[in-house]
Amino acid sequence: MRSPTVSTKLQRIASQAADDPQLVFTTLAHLIDVEFLRQAFRRIRKSSSPGLDKVTARQYGEDLEENLVDLHERMRSGLYKAPPVVRVWLEKEDGKRRPIGKPTFEDKIVQRAVEMLLSAIYEQMFYDFSHGFRQGRSQHRALHELDKQLWQLNIGWIVNADITGLFDNLDHGHLRRFIRKRVNDGSIIRLIGKWLNAGVMEEGKLKYYETGTPQGGVISPLLSNIFLHYVLDD
């Protein structure tokens, strides 16, 4: 009997999430096998700079199968460790600086795999008016929807609020509680905890922060959307 494909796994999860909005998923991590990691590898941009270990996408891909089997075993046994994110600063046109985080390529694979699972669930929960960091949506579509609502509902006022430093200031305790409302798989929760507590390497010094999500992390946009869903939308 053939094992279900990655696409089939994700479709099943999405269907369960849509059919039962109160369902709490407690067994997800076992779905991440070597093929799942291979699919996550394919979905990662290969041109980004390497992280702390200096391993590029090309170098990792040279022994891809061996690397993925080893990675899967470490994840399965709980031995996977999330490495710190390297932080560099880029100058902006207004003279200010913005931080850029560089996770290791292997960590991006793990983050993408978890993001794939969680997105299948949370995309069934997020509202249509939520557009940030979601596949198939953009700021242009958000503006179009806003314009349509203004005309249809005869709205005369708009309040513009800017969430400054969202990724840097998410409260870890609240985020964990929000996630457990829908996903309470111990392995997934521990992986997220490892990313939140992995630390940041900046100018050769390792720093740890009590708030925020990994800068440059593949998982960070989804975690921020989960947080905002409960804080602002729900």
Side-chain angles (χ1 to χ4, degrees), residues 45-199:
R45 186 163 57 92
K46 308 299 190 298
S47 60
S48 55
S49 301
L52 188 64
D53 61 3
K54 305 297 183 183
V55 176
T56 65
R58 181 186 59 78
Q59 290 169 330
Y60 195 90
E62 288 175 353
D63 297 304
L64 182 61
E65 290 307 305
E66 182 179 341
N67 287 333
L68 293 182
V69 169
D70 177 69
L71 173 59
H72 176 253
E73 178 57 29
R74 280 180 283 133
M75 292 179 63
R76 189 191 63 79
S77 61
L79 295 178
Y80 181 76
K81 295 181 180 181
V85 173
V86 176
R87 175 181 287 172
V88 296
W89 293 84
L90 297 181
E91 297 288 342
K92 298 171 64 176
E93 292 183 0
D94 58 5
K96 296 181 181 179
R97 300 194 306 164
R98 68 184 183 96
I100 297 294
K102 298 190 293 184
T104 65
F105 185 77
E106 182 172 76
D107 199 48
K108 290 181 181 179
I109 296 175
V110 183
Q111 289 192 34
R112 177 61 74 194
V114 173
E115 184 270 338
M116 288 160 60
L117 285 176
L118 296 185
S119 288
I121 297 168
Y122 286 99
E123 277 297 321
Q124 316 312 313
M125 295 176 55
F126 293 154
Y127 294 107
D128 284 341
F129 57 72
S130 175
H131 292 269
F133 304 112
R134 295 178 64 188
Q135 187 174 5
R137 296 168 184 260
S138 66
Q139 64 269 35
H140 302 294
R141 179 172 170 182
L143 290 172
H144 174 75
E145 291 293 328
L146 177 61
D147 182 67
K148 184 171 68 174
Q149 291 294 322
L150 290 174
W151 283 104
Q152 290 179 348
L153 302 178
N154 195 29
I155 295 173
W157 291 88
I158 298 176
V159 178
N160 180 27
D162 183 14
I163 305 174
T164 303
L166 172 63
F167 284 8
D168 293 331
N169 294 290
L170 290 185
D171 181 274
H172 291 174
H174 288 315
L175 178 60
R176 288 190 182 95
R177 284 193 290 274
F178 293 154
I179 292 172
R180 287 194 177 101
K181 289 176 178 288
R182 202 67 162 118
V183 175
N184 199 18
D185 180 311
S187 296
I188 299 296
I189 297 297
R190 281 190 292 275
L191 274 173
I192 293 173
K194 289 179 180 181
W195 290 318
L196 296 178
N197 298 306

